[in-house]
Amino acid sequence: MRLSICARGTLLHLCAVTIAIIVLSVIRWAVPSLSGIHKVFPSNVSEHLSVNEFNAWRTEQANGVIARFSNLLLLSYSQQNSHGTEAESAVNVVIVASGREGYFLTQVVAALLELQNTSTLDAAISICDVSETSNDEIDRISQIVPRIKIRSPYLHDYGSYEGRIAKESNDYWLCMNATHNSRYLLLIEDDAVPVPAFGHLLHSIVQRMDSDQKIDFIKLYHPGYLRKLPYYFQVIAALSRLPFQSNFNAGGVERVL
């Protein structure tokens, strides 16, 4: 009898896991991402364009966003310059601009500006220019977004992996130690385009850090090969416990009876 109950429980367990995987797959296919990434990278556009064409389309959209907020930004920037200080904010989002090709900086700035003006995101935006040569995109964006120019006192061997990592680390350190009028500082790369839900995430992080003084820093980056796996594992693990828990209880009751 116990073997029959265990076999039935195992079968129910496998069925529950299979159903969970199917349901999650259907939901992932049918329901838009809660992050809003489909608004930044719409599949109905990308599937008809090449990689370069899609990037050009995103850049055009970003330029439209910047143009929409340009007058307001120029007024705010001029007021900051006239007073010599920037308005205090909860977070200063500093974009580490290396002068890479592809107009990704334009897309990052546009996404942050839209979040700044359409959500409750209490954040300032600035550029930390770590490029070693003049860059037209950085020069253009710095007309509406404050720029911090960093000049590293060290020489690096850019031909080696270790040299490039050393330069990046030094750039981050110099950008973090520049003067910022905010409680917190967030460094992001110039090709890390924020999704619409980024504002809610940042607001939640600020609240958490304000309430827990033991937190010194938070790293937002998550490797691509680990994304979604923890969530799926937790769901499957939770479902897998239910049938076995029922089996153990049923077995105990059977022995008592």
Side-chain angles (χ1 to χ4, degrees):
M1 184 66 179
R2 291 185 59 191
L3 290 176
S4 175
I5 293 176
C6 288
R8 184 177 60 184
T10 301
L11 180 61
L12 291 174
H13 166 229
L14 293 175
C15 290
V17 171
T18 302
I19 292 173
I21 293 175
I22 294 174
V23 170
L24 288 173
S25 300
V26 171
I27 291 175
R28 176 172 171 77
W29 172 79
V31 180
S33 169
L34 294 178
S35 68
I37 193 173
H38 58 283
K39 296 180 180 179
V40 182
F41 302 99
S43 58
N44 62 326
V45 176
S46 62
E47 63 186 10
H48 301 295
L49 301 175
S50 66
V51 174
N52 291 334
E53 290 173 340
F54 187 45
N55 185 60
W57 180 85
R58 293 202 312 268
T59 302
E60 182 181 357
Q61 300 298 309
N63 282 324
V65 172
I66 292 176
R68 188 165 14 116
F69 295 117
S70 59
N71 292 334
L72 180 62
L73 291 169
L74 288 171
L75 176 61
S76 175
Y77 195 12
S78 62
Q79 289 176 346
Q80 291 178 17
N81 289 335
S82 63
H83 290 86
T85 58
E86 57 180 312
E88 183 177 357
S89 57
V91 183
N92 191 352
V93 181
V94 179
I95 308 167
V96 182
S98 59
R100 74 178 79 224
E101 298 179 354
Y103 296 100
F104 299 116
L105 175 62
T106 300
Q107 299 174 41
V108 173
V109 170
L112 288 172
L113 290 177
E114 194 153 33
L115 284 173
Q116 189 183 48
N117 287 274
T118 59
S119 69
T120 58
L121 181 63
D122 180 20
I125 305 170
S126 58
I127 298 172
C128 186
D129 183 1
V130 299
S131 62
E132 298 189 340
T133 58
S134 178
N135 182 273
D136 293 338
E137 183 184 20
I138 296 177
D139 292 340
R140 177 173 57 86
I141 296 297
S142 64
Q143 295 178 6
I144 55 176
V145 176
R147 171 170 59 174
I148 306 165
K149 180 61 181 177
I150 297 298
R151 296 191 181 278
S152 174
Y154 306 105
L155 296 177
H156 301 284
D157 179 16
Y158 301 125
S160 66
Y161 174 78
E162 292 78 9
R164 292 193 297 271
I165 294 298
K167 182 185 184 305
E168 288 183 3
S169 300
N170 186 61
D171 290 342
Y172 294 159
W173 178 254
L174 293 174
C175 289
M176 284 192 295
N177 281 277
T179 301
H180 303 289
N181 189 24
S182 59
R183 298 202 305 277
Y184 303 110
L185 176 69
L186 173 64
L187 289 182
I188 64 174
E189 290 281 359
D190 54 1
D191 61 346
V193 180
V195 295
F198 179 74
H200 300 293
L201 171 66
L202 197 56
H203 181 71
S204 174
I205 290 174
V206 169
Q207 287 185 321
R208 177 64 187 276
M209 296 190 73
D210 282 343
S211 61
D212 191 346
Q213 299 301 315
K214 294 183 293 184
I215 301 177
D216 295 322
F217 71 93
I218 295 177
K219 187 175 183 180
L220 300 182
Y221 174 73
H222 196 52
Y225 61 88
L226 290 180
R227 293 172 189 167
K228 306 181 187 67
L229 290 180
Y231 170 73
Y232 289 150
F233 175 77
Q234 291 170 9
V235 171
I236 293 174
L239 290 174
S240 66
R241 292 185 59 185
L242 296 178
F244 283 118
Q245 185 68 35
S246 300
N247 291 341
F248 294 148
N249 292 338
V253 172
E254 184 183 1
R255 286 197 297 271
V256 173
L257 294 176

